[in-house]
């Protein structure tokens, strides 16, 4: 689209919001409506184009930051404050951007993803070396995904461990590959875990201020 010199000059002189600086607006401490609305008005008065709400959750690196957030991250009170901010942004013609996590790295929702759902914990595959005797039956273990018998001078042999593997002749040792879940860490490679993360973060934002999405 062709613009005249005067149109370009007018845009530089008084640029619309999407050309203006956007601020990372860190939320910590006590939130109240008067404070939230006053800070949005101040950003507009200073010429900002909008802000990213960047909540520092009440459990996030409290040794590094002054204090956590109240109301608690992802609580009903928190989303009420988000709505105050978004409505104030609309009033002042600013953009309001939403950050998907209460700190970093993303994917835990400050523990909300795992709350009541231990199946979404991260997993690690480890290898155990077992000293065994020929004919010995290895105990069935739901966390062991594979048994390998190791021999001298030939390739390892995958054992049938569905009902407890039996150690073959001339076996020097058995390698057991075990899956363990890690306490407090989310399994970001799991579609079900990611779906739950979206449910407790993005979907809640959609309920609170979804009519302003665009």
């Amino acid at each position: 689209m062709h613009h005249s010199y005067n149109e370009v000059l007018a845009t530089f002189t008084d640029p619309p919001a999407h050309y203006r600086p956007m601020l990372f607006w860190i939320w910590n401490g006590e939130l109240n409506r008067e404070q939230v609305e006053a800070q949005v008005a101040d950003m507009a008065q200073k010429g900002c184009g909008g802000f990213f709400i960047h909540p520092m959750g009440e459990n996030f690196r409290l040794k590094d930051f002054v204090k956590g957030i109240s109301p608690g991250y992802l609580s009903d009170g928190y989303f009420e404050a988000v709505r105050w901010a978004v409505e104030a942004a609309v009033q002042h013609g600013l953009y309001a951007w939403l950050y998907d996590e209460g700190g970093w790295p993303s994917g835990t929702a400050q523990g909300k993803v795992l709350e009541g759902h231990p199946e979404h914990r991260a997993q690690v595959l480890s290898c155990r070396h077992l000293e065994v005797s020929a004919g010995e039956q290895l105990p069935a273990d739901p966390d062991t995904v594979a048994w390998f018998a190791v021999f001298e001078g030939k390739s390892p042999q995958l054992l049938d461990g569905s009902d407890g593997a039996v150690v073959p002749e001339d076996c020097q040792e058995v390698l057991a590959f075990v899956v363990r879940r890690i306490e407090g860490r989310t399994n970001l490679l799991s579609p079900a875990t990611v779906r739950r993360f979206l449910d407790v973060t993005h979907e809640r934002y959609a309920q609170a201020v979804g009519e302003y999405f665009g």
Side-chain angles (χ1 to χ4, degrees):
M1 181 183 296
H2 177 72
H3 294 282
S4 68
Y5 170 77
N6 287 335
E7 289 174 328
V8 173
L9 182 61
T11 301
F12 271 95
T13 303
D14 187 20
H18 59 270
Y19 288 131
R20 293 176 178 269
M22 305 283 173
L23 299 183
F24 245 39
W25 186 15
I26 291 179
W27 279 16
N28 62 1
E30 299 285 336
L31 301 176
N32 62 70
R33 185 165 193 162
E34 181 181 5
Q35 173 197 55
V36 168
E37 292 178 345
Q39 291 193 19
V40 174
D42 190 45
M43 284 185 262
Q45 193 275 328
K46 297 294 194 300
C48 295
F51 51 81
F52 292 79
I53 297 176
H54 190 56
M56 309 303 280
E58 65 274 19
N59 300 314
F60 178 69
R61 289 177 58 173
L62 299 182
K63 292 181 180 179
D64 299 322
F65 299 98
V66 177
K67 53 185 171 180
I69 189 174
S70 179
Y73 180 58
L74 300 184
S75 67
D76 291 344
Y78 168 81
F79 283 106
E80 185 178 24
V82 168
R83 189 166 183 90
W84 299 335
V86 171
E87 289 177 344
V90 172
Q91 177 185 346
H92 292 283
L94 304 184
Y95 285 92
W97 296 81
L98 303 175
Y99 191 70
D100 69 350
E101 188 57 277
W104 56 83
S106 187
T108 71
Q110 284 284 294
K112 301 292 192 297
V113 170
L114 296 180
E115 205 170 81
H117 291 270
E119 71 274 14
H120 294 311
R121 285 182 296 173
Q123 301 177 84
V124 61
L125 181 66
S126 61
C127 178
R128 296 169 53 207
H129 295 253
L130 307 179
E131 294 184 4
V132 293
S133 302
E136 179 181 345
Q137 186 171 27
L138 300 170
D141 179 7
D143 293 330
T144 300
V145 294
W147 304 94
F148 281 90
V150 178
F151 306 92
E152 184 174 358
K154 62 179 182 178
S155 300
Q157 174 187 340
L158 176 63
L159 304 179
D160 179 8
S162 56
D163 295 313
V166 176
V167 179
E169 294 291 332
D170 302 324
C171 175
Q172 292 185 316
E173 66 173 349
V174 166
L175 303 181
F177 288 87
V178 182
V179 172
R180 301 293 186 202
R181 295 191 182 273
I182 306 173
E183 195 68 37
R185 299 287 295 274
T186 50
N187 184 4
L188 299 181
L189 298 179
S190 162
T193 303
V194 174
R195 180 66 260 170
R196 173 156 171 78
F197 174 73
L198 295 175
D199 287 343
V200 300
T201 55
H202 295 67
E203 296 297 346
R204 295 289 307 282
Y205 281 113
Q207 292 168 11
V209 291
E211 71 266 35
Y212 297 111
F213 282 8

